[in-house]
Every structure is written in structure tokens, then in C-alpha cells.
Amino acid sequence: QSALTQPASVSGSPEESITISCTGTSSDVGNWNVVSWYQQHPGKAPQLLIYGVTKRPSGVPNRFSGSKSGNTASLTISGLQSEDEAEYYCFSYASGGLYVFGPGTKVTVL
Amino acid sequence: QVQLVESGGGVVQPGRSLRLSCVDSGFTFSTHPMHWVRQSPGKGPEWLAVISKDGNNQDYADSVRGRFTISRDNSKKTLYLQMDSLRVDDTAIYYCAREGMDSGSWGYFEFWGQGSLVTVSS
């Protein structure tokens, strides 16, 4: 199965903006607008932040946004807050009925 | 509000079987595909399997194909994961998740269960 790549860690100061990348291939991220992003705090189940590459569910703060260019999807957090310190995972359809998660990015608020 | 509650986890010896259940307390279980996802200690989530709304189609990750079986009973609003030939590296928290469908978007998890811990150990 295909694999997605994410930076292991990203950090930023409060109110700064950070971007997490999720790089796949033309078989997954590049070929389908079926990319979603999840936030996970320790001991909790992941929570949906972004779906359909750019859509934000109701209740998710608008400082979270998603985009895609070619085989790389991105999650941007604008105006970083202390409660955003967590692990972030991208997820994509990978053709043939299969799906794949990225390895995760740990976000640290300095 | 949708609430997914998993059960059936526990400690099992390698080579044995276990069946997980996931009950949906909402009213729209039969209108959504459902998935199983697991997360090994200290690792990221791993997608395992998906089942269609009517239960007639399933797909599996390579790591579990042939050993795990996903099924559903819409009359009971329950999702199942039959896990056979369990291995030590199947040790993980297992989550059921409901696939969202919104304005042409699909293939994302709008609701997750709380997780059920499966430990495979001799």
C-alpha cells in the first residue's frame, strides 16, 4: 500500500501560522480530493479538522484550513493557540478501495 | 448526536480470535459506510477496513486482509470486526468510525468511537 509523508514535528509561537505538509503520489493525494486531517490529543480519539481537502466541519475554528497542490496536501493553522499542541494526521483515499494515514506531525506551541 | 461505542476488546493469545462490536446510538447508521481504524501504542492510526452502507462490499488493508472480516447488522445498528489468527503486532486500540458524506465529499471520519484495547500476548 502507498505511504504518505509528513514532517515529524513543527513548532511555532502563539499567534504565529504554521503549515503541515502531507505528500503522497498520483495514486492517492494527487488523484483524489479525498484528503482529510485529524487532530489527536494524548489519550483521546482523533477528531476531524478538515475533509474534502478544504472543507471545515461546523465547530472547528476557522484558524484551521486545508489546501492541495499536486501530490501534496497541507494543513495551515493561523494564529496558533496553546490548545493546538497535539498530533496531526492526514488521511487520503488511495485507489482500489483502500485508504492511508500519514505518519503524523507533532505540533509544539513554544 | 451520533455516539459509537465499541466493545469486545481484551487480552488474547497469539493465534486466537476475537470479535469487536461497535453500536451506533444514532438513527442513521444504515446510511453511512463504516470503517475500522487501529492505533498501536505510540504509533499513528492505521486504516484497516471499510464496509458499504448495505454491507455488500468490503475492502481491507494489506496487513489484515485474509485474517480480519468487517461486517454490519443494520437492524441492530452494529458494526463488527472478526479478528482471526491474531499476532502480537495486532496489539492496539481499535476504533470504529462513521464515514461522512457531505456535498459530494466522502472518505473521511466524522465520528469516532472511544476505542477498544486489544492486547495479543502469550
Side-chain angles (χ1 to χ4, degrees):
Chain A
Q1 278 175 259
S2 60
L4 307 178
T5 59
Q6 297 180 235
S9 63
V10 173
S11 62
S13 300
E15 300 305 320
E16 281 188 350
S17 292
I18 62 169
T19 296
I20 303 168
S21 61
C22 171
T23 300
T25 70
S26 57
S27 296
D28 40 63
V29 174
N31 195 44
W32 303 90
N33 287 327
V34 187
V35 176
S36 51
W37 290 89
Y38 301 86
Q39 178 192 61
Q40 187 177 33
H41 288 106
K44 302 287 190 181
Q47 283 198 301
L48 179 66
L49 288 177
I50 297 288
Y51 66 97
V53 178
T54 60
K55 300 176 184 178
R56 193 173 53 248
S58 61
V60 172
N62 60 11
R63 64 179 182 274
F64 294 95
S65 63
S67 62
K68 190 181 85 168
S69 177
N71 296 337
T72 299
S74 299
L75 174 72
T76 297
I77 309 176
S78 305
L80 198 61
Q81 300 190 7
S82 58
E83 59 263 36
D84 298 334
E85 187 159 293
E87 197 81 26
Y88 291 81
Y89 299 96
C90 61
F91 180 72
S92 176
Y93 181 65
S95 301
L98 307 181
Y99 295 82
V100 62
F101 277 99
T105 297
K106 181 174 176 57
V107 169
T108 301
V109 182
L110 302 171
Chain B
Q1 177 70 327
V2 172
Q3 186 174 6
L4 302 174
V5 179
E6 298 103 338
S7 62
V11 181
V12 62
Q13 293 179 324
R16 304 296 289 261
S17 299
L18 204 61
R19 188 178 83 158
L20 301 181
S21 300
C22 167
V23 178
D24 182 348
S25 63
F27 299 97
T28 57
F29 178 75
S30 63
T31 61
H32 292 261
M34 295 291 294
H35 298 249
W36 285 101
V37 173
R38 72 182 177 186
Q39 190 165 24
S40 301
K43 301 287 184 63
E46 177 188 12
W47 175 81
L48 296 181
V50 59
I51 188 166
S52 58
K53 292 179 283 187
D54 59 9
N56 288 336
N57 296 99
Q58 308 86 27
D59 281 295
Y60 299 91
D62 291 344
S63 58
V64 303
R65 186 179 296 116
R67 297 190 301 125
F68 291 10
T69 303
I70 187 172
S71 61
R72 66 191 298 164
D73 185 335
N74 285 343
S75 67
K76 296 182 178 178
K77 295 189 292 182
T78 302
L79 176 72
Y80 302 101
L81 185 67
Q82 176 67 39
M83 303 184 291
D84 298 323
S85 303
L86 281 162
R87 309 191 295 225
V88 171
D89 62 358
D90 291 320
T91 295
I93 297 173
Y94 285 73
Y95 296 98
C96 61
R98 192 177 95 164
E99 181 172 326
M101 295 179 298
D102 172 58
S103 303
S105 295
W106 49 275
Y108 63 94
F109 306 131
E110 59 175 352
F111 296 108
W112 296 68
Q114 86 288 355
S116 183
L117 178 61
V118 173
T119 302
V120 184
S121 173
S122 54

